[in-house]
Amino acid sequence: MFLEPQETMPQTSVVFSSILGPSCSGQGQPGMGERGGGAGGSGDLIFQDGRLISGSLEALMEHLVPTVDYYPDRTYIFTFLLSSRVFIPPHDLLARVGQLCVEQRQQLEAGSEKAKLKSFSAKIVQLLKEWTEAFPFDFQDEKAMAELKAITHRVTQCDEENGTVKKAIAQMTQSLLLSLAARSQLQELREKLRSPAMDKGPVLKAKPPAAQKDILGVCCDPLVLAQQLTHIELERVSSIHPEDLMQIVSHTDSRDKHRCRGDMTKTYSLEAYDNWFNCLSMLVATEVCRVVKKKHRTRMLEFFIDVARECFNIGNFNSMMAIISGMNLSPVARLKKTWSKVKTAKFDVLEHHMDPSSNFCNYRTALQGATQRSQTANSSREKIVIPVFNLFVKDIYFLHKIHTNHLPNGHINFKKFWEISRQIHEFMTWTQVECPFEKDKKIQSYLLTAPIYSEEALFIASFESEGPENHMEKDSWKTLRTAYSNSDS
């Protein structure tokens, strides 16, 4: 059995260009209505079975701010802080939180209730602490940092006796500055990193030197290579933050007439991780197509099939899908004579898991099993869950597209954002798993820096290994030879 070649080279970046592109092409949503009645905005919050499902933006903001007798649920804090950026920039939200704090302070001061005032101040600091820990990047903005300083200055005014609130604020500020400094250093490092060079491929009819290193010369153990791929995956995915993922849904609300609030610099980590998938797919195809002898190509294919299977067993679905995609690229899939020698039973099982029918039902079942294993795990190895990132992004995007941001009454459809937040929170839990496998710098260096053939070079290498079989392939081969002959002259 051999694989039918695909018509085009699959590139997941197409999805990102449509989802994360700079244009503000969001679906038009009904505008937000005026605030309803009810003290404290309670009339503008709708609950169903004890769960908040909608509300005006103003009421949702008020629900975020503690009182003497109330502190918001931590799940609500995360969900609202995450989703609110679709409607209001973080520094404006922080300014509104500051206003609400001032109003409550004035009421407590008027009643000369110092004990309650201290209790309220401590709760405000706790809210700010949770905000700065969950979304430190919000405070890279000078306006947000100024608002934070203004709020903390106000709440310390009642803390002259023992200074507990001041100490808590000092600790929070120090942790925030350390987080921002670490992220700034990471951004500088990212700028220095470059994608692997796209090799022009072999000169026509010339064969690579016998001593030329390939992946099997660096690592011939499928399990070890799968572990090193998992290392790379976890390192790269750990640079993705919740607010980065919200860029997927940060489109323009046409009624509000505001600009897109999606800071495109925050999508860098998403695009870089997506690019890693494409590079891995192309590396797999390159390693197969560059091999001269059919026997060795067969061995290379079987090796990558075993690597993909080990990735599946680990829970590294993203690398697994990238490897399968690489083997399904047309220059590889058309090598019928090579595939005829491959024991494809294992590959058939892998393709079954990644069958796209019924919205990737088989993959989602496997992902659910890995998730359940992770939740009851006793070791880091069992906690690893690395989903197919492209499918995760699509799930968030389509969840956003099929549910409106606003309901007919003008309320924010908070039920939608509960679900988006739940999926993002689950993803972030997976990204925080520490890789249990020992890092092999030599293998990782090869995976990240080995030359990758362009699409044209892959076809040339493929045709050199197994000549064109039909008129279409013969025409392609002739065109490629002419193009490369002209480029070399």
Side-chain angles (χ1 to χ4, degrees):
M1 179 183 294
F2 59 87
L3 302 171
E4 290 297 327
Q6 295 182 347
E7 292 298 321
T8 57
M9 309 283 278
Q11 295 288 316
T12 59
S13 55
V14 173
V15 176
F16 280 79
S17 64
S18 63
I19 295 175
L20 302 172
S23 63
C24 300
S25 57
Q27 180 179 341
Q29 307 290 356
M32 288 167 44
E34 295 296 323
R35 245 187 101 201
S42 58
D44 275 351
L45 295 178
I46 304 299
F47 292 82
Q48 186 178 70
D49 298 325
R51 189 174 184 82
L52 177 61
I53 60 169
S54 73
S56 67
L57 179 59
E58 178 64 24
L60 292 169
M61 288 191 290
E62 292 184 10
H63 197 57
L64 175 71
V65 179
T67 66
V68 174
D69 304 314
Y70 163 77
Y71 189 81
D73 180 79
R74 291 193 69 184
T75 307
Y76 176 76
I77 293 174
F78 178 84
T79 301
F80 181 68
L81 290 178
L82 180 64
S83 58
S84 62
R85 63 198 67 235
V86 175
F87 309 99
I88 181 173
H91 66 263
D92 284 348
L93 174 60
L94 198 58
R96 182 61 185 133
V97 168
Q99 292 172 357
L100 292 169
C101 289
V102 169
E103 292 171 7
Q104 291 205 48
R105 275 184 58 83
Q106 290 174 344
Q107 292 177 4
L108 293 170
E109 287 170 349
S112 300
E113 300 180 87
K114 288 188 176 181
K116 289 185 176 181
L117 191 57
K118 287 182 180 180
S119 174
F120 171 70
S121 297
K123 288 180 178 178
I124 291 299
V125 173
Q126 178 61 27
L127 174 66
L128 295 174
K129 180 174 180 288
E130 293 196 40
W131 191 338
T132 56
E133 287 176 350
F135 305 99
F137 202 70
D138 287 352
F139 299 90
Q140 196 173 43
D141 179 77
E142 292 181 3
K143 293 179 182 178
M145 188 60 84
E147 292 292 347
L148 178 65
K149 290 178 179 178
I151 296 173
T152 54
H153 175 71
R154 294 188 198 107
V155 299
T156 54
Q157 292 177 352
C158 68
D159 192 44
E160 300 301 330
E161 294 180 14
N162 55 26
T164 53
V165 172
K166 286 183 179 179
K167 289 177 183 176
I169 290 173
Q171 291 174 352
M172 175 191 72
T173 305
Q174 184 180 18
S175 296
L176 174 60
L177 293 176
L178 287 173
S179 295
L180 291 176
R183 197 173 293 194
S184 177
Q185 290 176 353
L186 181 60
Q187 283 182 316
E188 290 176 7
L189 180 61
R190 287 174 184 164
E191 293 300 322
K192 296 177 182 178
L193 293 176
R194 290 180 296 178
S195 299
M198 297 298 282
D199 194 348
K200 273 191 71 175
V203 179
L204 286 182
K205 296 186 178 179
K207 303 300 181 184
Q212 185 173 339
K213 186 187 294 184
D214 61 18
I215 187 67
L216 289 173
V218 178
C219 177
C220 60
D221 186 333
L223 175 59
V224 172
L225 190 64
Q227 291 174 344
Q228 294 310 304
L229 287 170
T230 302
H231 234 299
I232 294 172
E233 292 277 356
L234 288 173
E235 283 181 2
R236 299 210 165 198
V237 79
S238 66
S239 67
I240 296 174
H241 302 279
E243 60 269 31
D244 300 334
L245 294 167
M246 278 305 289
Q247 298 303 312
I248 300 166
V249 302
S250 292
H251 295 296
T252 296
D253 186 328
S254 57
R255 281 280 187 93
D256 288 342
K257 303 294 184 184
H258 59 64
R259 291 183 179 182
C260 275
R261 295 189 176 107
D263 183 352
M264 293 310 295
T265 61
K266 293 180 182 178
T267 67
Y268 179 88
S269 56
L270 304 185
E271 292 163 350
Y273 188 49
D274 177 58
N275 186 57
W276 152 248
F277 180 99
N278 293 328
C279 286
L280 179 54
S281 294
M282 294 294 279
L283 176 62
V284 170
T286 299
E287 292 292 326
V288 173
C289 289
R290 65 187 286 203
V291 178
V292 177
K293 295 182 179 179
K294 182 172 65 177
K295 179 180 178 181
H296 293 163
R297 280 198 305 277
T298 300
R299 183 186 174 202
M300 187 68 75
L301 281 171
E302 291 181 337
F303 173 71
F304 277 118
I305 290 170
D306 287 338
V307 174
R309 186 177 65 163
E310 294 295 351
C311 286
F312 177 84
N313 292 336
I314 289 172
N316 180 359
F317 299 106
N318 201 56
S319 288
M320 173 192 170
M321 178 67 99
I323 293 170
I324 292 174
S325 296
M327 290 189 287
N328 276 332
L329 292 178
S330 296
V332 180
R334 64 166 298 278
L335 298 171
K336 297 179 183 180
K337 294 176 183 177
T338 304
W339 279 103
S340 69
K341 301 295 182 181
V342 174
K343 298 175 183 177
T344 57
K346 296 176 185 176
F347 190 67
D348 293 340
V349 171
L350 295 175
E351 287 222 302
H352 171 75
H353 287 305
M354 294 301 171
D355 182 355
S357 62
S358 302
N359 193 20
F360 289 89
C361 177
N362 296 337
Y363 157 69
R364 295 181 190 283
T365 300
L367 179 64
Q368 185 179 16
T371 302
Q372 292 173 348
R373 179 186 68 183
S374 177
Q375 292 169 347
T376 59
N378 296 316
S379 67
S380 296
R381 293 189 177 215
E382 296 175 328
K383 290 182 179 179
I384 296 172
V385 181
I386 306 173
V388 178
F389 187 61
N390 180 247
L391 292 179
F392 173 79
V393 168
K394 283 182 178 179
D395 285 347
I396 297 295
Y397 178 67
F398 286 115
L399 182 61
H400 163 62
K401 294 298 286 185
I402 64 176
H403 297 288
T404 60
N405 285 349
H406 296 89
L407 301 176
N409 65 355
H411 276 195
I412 289 174
N413 182 7
F414 208 66
K415 190 174 183 180
K416 162 185 173 176
F417 290 102
W418 276 124
E419 181 57 25
I420 291 176
S421 172
R422 183 194 67 77
Q423 292 192 26
I424 289 178
H425 185 271
E426 184 175 49
F427 179 85
M428 298 311 301
T429 301
W430 296 332
T431 67
Q432 292 162 13
V433 173
E434 185 176 348
C435 188
F437 310 122
E438 186 176 349
K439 187 174 183 177
D440 189 310
K441 292 183 179 179
K442 183 180 177 182
I443 297 174
Q444 290 203 18
S445 176
Y446 186 89
L447 288 169
L448 295 170
T449 63
I452 298 174
Y453 288 176
S454 65
E455 180 177 354
E456 293 79 9
L458 284 173
F459 271 110
I460 288 174
S462 178
F463 285 135
E464 285 187 331
S465 296
E466 296 185 21
E469 292 192 347
N470 53 51
H471 291 299
M472 186 179 295
E473 287 192 345
K474 288 177 181 178
D475 289 343
S476 297
W477 178 220
K478 183 178 179 180
T479 302
L480 286 168
R481 282 198 305 180
T482 302
Y484 267 71
S485 295
N486 292 338
S487 66
D488 290 337
S489 59

